Amino acid sequence: MKRFKFRLQRVLDLRVQIRDKARQELVRRNGERDHELSVLAHLEDEYRRVTMEEGGMYSASQLVLFGAYAERLEGEINNQKLVVARAIEAAEVAQAHYIEASREAKALEMLREKKLKEHNEEALRQEGAFLDELAITRFERVD
């Protein structure tokens, strides 16, 4: 019997390649999201540190500097929140692309498995038919 050959193997290979690239993109986007979240957390920690510092004697110019620094941090935090929102959205889009690519690849993989199973069943059926024919031929010669 002929060797099994899946007619859509090239398409399957392409879908697997697309899925792998989508996975890499998802990992990259998740890394960017995590990085931006850590930057935001750092800015928020710094803001809390600056605004909660108590004790000690500060001059008027130092208090003005603390206030200006706190205002700048507030602005940076607001900007970083926008960056984080964009990073989260990009990660969600990458995840949707990965899910879709995985579904397409999985569908072709399942079709390939089904065709391989059918091929193997046909091979067994033909082998059984050949053995039956061989047994009948040997039995007729013995008579």
Side-chain angles (χ1 to χ4, degrees), residues 19-36:
R19 182 193 64 204
D20 292 344
K21 286 181 181 178
R23 181 184 306 131
Q24 290 172 352
E25 180 68 13
L26 176 61
V27 167
R28 187 176 72 79
R29 294 293 182 170
N30 283 339
E32 289 174 359
R33 180 201 61 211
D34 294 344
H35 171 72
E36 298 301 339

Side-chain angles (χ1 to χ4, degrees), residues 10-104:
R10 287 185 180 171
V11 176
L12 174 60
D13 293 342
L14 179 63
R15 295 291 181 197
V16 167
Q17 205 173 43
I18 290 170
R19 182 193 64 204
D20 292 344
K21 286 181 181 178
R23 181 184 306 131
Q24 290 172 352
E25 180 68 13
L26 176 61
V27 167
R28 187 176 72 79
R29 294 293 182 170
N30 283 339
E32 289 174 359
R33 180 201 61 211
D34 294 344
H35 171 72
E36 298 301 339
L37 284 169
S38 69
V39 168
L40 178 61
H42 173 71
L43 288 172
E44 290 172 338
D45 289 343
E46 181 67 11
Y47 180 77
R48 278 191 293 277
R49 187 187 67 76
V50 167
T51 57
M52 292 184 162
E53 277 193 16
E54 294 181 18
M57 298 292 287
Y58 297 109
S59 68
S61 62
Q62 287 176 323
L63 289 176
V64 169
L65 286 175
F66 277 137
Y69 184 55
E71 280 184 41
R72 193 189 88 194
L73 283 174
E74 284 177 5
E76 287 182 19
I77 287 171
N78 289 334
N79 289 337
Q80 189 63 27
K81 284 180 180 179
L82 295 173
V83 171
V84 166
R86 285 192 296 263
I88 288 171
E89 183 180 333
E92 289 172 354
V93 168
Q95 183 176 18
H97 286 299
Y98 173 69
I99 289 169
E100 182 62 28
S102 292
R103 283 184 185 147
E104 291 174 359

